[in-house]
Amino acid sequence: MPLTSIDPQRLLSRIQLAISQNPQLTELLQDITKYIEESRETLSLQPNGTQPASKKRKLDNVENDTLEGVDSIDDISFSIPQRKKLKLSLGGKSIRGINPSSDATEFGRPWAGVAHCVCLPVPEKAQPQYNVCIFPSEGWGDEQILFTVPGGNVKSSAIHSQVSFDNDESYKDVMIRMINKRLKRKVLEPDQKEFVSQVVQAHRKGEKAAHVKAFRGSKDGYLFFLSHGIVWGFKKPLEFFPFDAITSVSYTSVLQRTFNLNIAIDVNGKSKEIEFSMIDQADFAGIDAYVKRHQLQDASMAEQRRAKKINVNGTKGAEDEEDGEGELQKAAREVEEMDDEDEEQDENFDPGSEGESEGSGSSSEEEEDGDQANGEDGRDLVDEELGSEREDVSE
């Protein structure tokens, strides 16, 4: 039965019935649904098996790549835009994912539309693997490419290339040389001079990690601090923050064990801030040194963040005085503000009707005292008592 003839409502009823009778199928059906959603752009769902028009448009720039000078590697695992094993094809004009069965192009991108290409070690793997991330240039769409190459030595039967290589070379090194031959900007890799994590890797304890683990919202992932920018991976969408797009880097929610990193970027003249949370405190010093070394604007001293930037690296003291307002200074400032408010209230004190009646009573009492001093008939009793003595004093 053709896929397009299935009634959606009837299919939904069947799925619900299957789940009610077999609850253990719930997770399987959810995985199938997720897979179809991620692959919907490349599945042939139109009548007569034709490809969607959107896919045709995306492949217009890569289908005509000449076979001459094309390098390829078999059995490469792609994650974005499809989860599938394909042949990686590196032509003179484009990079493509080729279906090994039909030799059809599943997706691709012209080299002219590639802004950045980075090769990063895959975290938390017992055996070394490397993810290659292709980021599109502005104006070339937003489709990214992510594929994985093994960390072992190349198999000559799997690589079809005019690039010479030795059998003791790794897949990664050969693949990078293939891409660098075609790409204007060279492939970026982590450099221990830029950043090294202080967190011990559970899977390979003898190696230093090039990443830090973090969360963006509810999604977990990894941050890589490279020589030309910061990368977030490896779940869709990937992010690359080049230095020229970063307007500020700041820290919030600095606790004893974790802190948050906020990266503000400029997108078409509009500022956008992205927060990465739950980063291990052990990596704060390394990240901060990276930010200062590349002269990225540190916005931690901004007024709205001062209250949160406390106890960095678990210590207080000279760093608090240099980098921001500590808790003691903050408390003192708040007390002074309260005192200023009290003084201002005293100066502007306006007694009510009760105060006015008390004030008028005091005034009448002073007038009575004055009348007694002058006598009931208006005579100056003081002048009469002192007489000439008062005159001498006056002189």
Side-chain angles (χ1 to χ4, degrees):
M1 179 186 297
L3 185 60
T4 53
S5 65
I6 293 179
D7 181 10
Q9 291 297 330
R10 186 167 177 268
L11 177 61
L12 178 61
S13 300
R14 291 170 59 193
I15 293 174
Q16 292 174 340
L17 178 62
I19 292 176
S20 64
Q21 295 176 347
N22 303 279
Q24 68 273 17
L25 294 178
T26 303
E27 185 176 354
L28 173 61
L29 293 173
Q30 288 176 343
D31 290 343
I32 293 173
T33 302
K34 183 178 179 181
Y35 175 79
I36 293 176
E37 287 178 349
E38 291 178 348
S39 306
R40 65 184 181 277
E41 291 186 355
T42 55
L43 290 175
S44 299
L45 299 179
Q46 295 188 355
N48 303 323
T50 59
Q51 293 178 335
S54 60
K55 181 178 178 180
K56 284 185 176 181
R57 288 194 299 270
K58 290 177 182 178
L59 297 180
D60 282 344
N61 293 322
V62 297
E63 287 280 20
N64 298 324
D65 207 351
T66 60
L67 294 176
E68 184 178 352
V70 173
D71 298 326
S72 63
I73 305 178
D74 296 335
D75 297 327
I76 294 296
S77 297
F78 285 82
S79 301
I80 299 175
Q82 298 182 43
R83 286 187 174 276
K84 189 182 291 186
K85 272 198 172 185
L86 300 170
K87 179 169 69 175
L88 174 66
S89 174
L90 306 173
K93 298 179 181 178
S94 63
I95 176 172
R96 296 182 293 167
I98 305 294
N99 189 311
S101 300
S102 62
D103 207 36
T105 299
E106 294 287 337
F107 52 83
R109 175 163 293 280
W111 293 116
V114 175
H116 303 280
C117 178
V118 298
C119 181
L120 305 169
V122 180
E124 301 177 3
K125 295 289 184 181
Q127 298 298 324
Q129 295 180 2
Y130 298 89
N131 277 344
V132 179
C133 313
I134 306 291
F135 295 93
S137 300
E138 186 176 356
W140 289 83
D142 57 359
E143 186 176 84
Q144 302 165 335
I145 297 177
L146 174 64
F147 60 88
T148 305
V149 294
N153 293 343
V154 297
K155 295 179 180 179
S156 57
S157 59
I159 295 184
H160 314 282
S161 172
Q162 296 180 353
V163 176
S164 60
F165 59 88
D166 298 326
N167 290 331
D168 58 351
E169 282 193 85
S170 67
Y171 274 97
K172 176 181 76 76
D173 292 340
V174 174
M175 183 271 307
I176 288 178
R177 284 199 287 122
M178 290 178 177
I179 295 178
N180 282 341
K181 188 174 70 172
R182 297 165 171 85
L183 194 62
K184 291 182 179 179
R185 293 187 177 184
K186 302 304 181 183
V187 177
L188 292 176
E189 295 184 79
D191 185 346
Q192 291 191 2
K193 295 179 181 178
E194 292 291 342
F195 176 80
V196 175
S197 175
Q198 300 303 309
V199 178
V200 177
Q201 294 191 86
H203 297 79
R204 299 202 299 271
K205 295 183 179 180
E207 296 182 20
K208 291 288 186 180
H211 68 275
V212 297
K213 191 169 184 177
F215 284 83
R216 181 179 178 180
S218 60
K219 289 186 177 181
D220 62 329
Y222 308 95
L223 286 167
F224 294 84
F225 300 90
L226 308 180
S227 59
H228 289 73
I230 302 172
V231 176
W232 166 254
F234 291 104
K235 295 181 180 178
K236 193 175 182 179
L238 307 172
E239 295 281 4
F240 182 79
F241 307 108
F243 291 153
D244 57 2
I246 297 175
T247 57
S248 67
V249 174
S250 59
Y251 313 103
T252 56
S253 301
V254 181
L255 305 176
Q256 185 177 2
R257 295 185 178 181
T258 62
F259 66 96
N260 297 352
L261 180 71
N262 299 271
I263 300 176
I265 58 174
D266 182 80
V267 181
N268 297 324
K270 295 183 179 180
S271 180
K272 176 183 177 182
E273 187 173 77
I274 303 174
E275 182 180 59
F276 300 98
S277 60
M278 300 298 291
I279 302 174
D280 198 300
Q281 180 63 236
D283 284 324
F284 179 88
I287 293 174
D288 193 48
Y290 172 88
V291 169
K292 292 176 179 177
R293 181 167 58 253
H294 291 286
Q295 299 180 342
L296 302 178
Q297 180 185 348
D298 187 346
S300 293
M301 296 303 100
E303 191 67 27
Q304 65 270 26
R305 303 191 189 280
R306 286 186 176 179
K308 295 183 180 180
K309 189 179 186 304
I310 58 173
N311 201 26
V312 175
N313 291 332
T315 61
K316 295 189 180 110
E319 185 173 343
D320 286 335
E321 295 176 3
E322 293 177 2
D323 293 347
E325 183 180 43
E327 284 292 275
L328 293 177
Q329 290 88 343
K330 178 185 173 186
R333 176 176 55 78
E334 291 177 348
V335 171
E336 289 176 1
E337 290 176 354
M338 294 175 62
D339 291 342
D340 291 342
E341 291 178 1
D342 292 341
E343 291 177 2
E344 186 176 346
Q345 291 176 359
D346 290 342
E347 291 174 0
N348 298 331
F349 179 69
D350 182 17
S353 58
E354 181 180 355
E356 291 179 358
S357 63
E358 292 177 355
S360 60
S362 301
S363 177
S364 61
E365 289 176 2
E366 292 174 0
E367 291 176 2
E368 290 176 4
D369 292 340
D371 291 343
Q372 292 178 0
N374 292 327
E376 294 180 359
D377 56 356
R379 291 179 301 163
D380 190 347
L381 299 181
V382 174
D383 185 57
E384 290 180 3
E385 290 293 331
L386 295 177
S388 60
E389 292 179 3
R390 179 175 178 180
E391 295 177 356
D392 294 336
V393 172
S394 299
E395 295 175 355

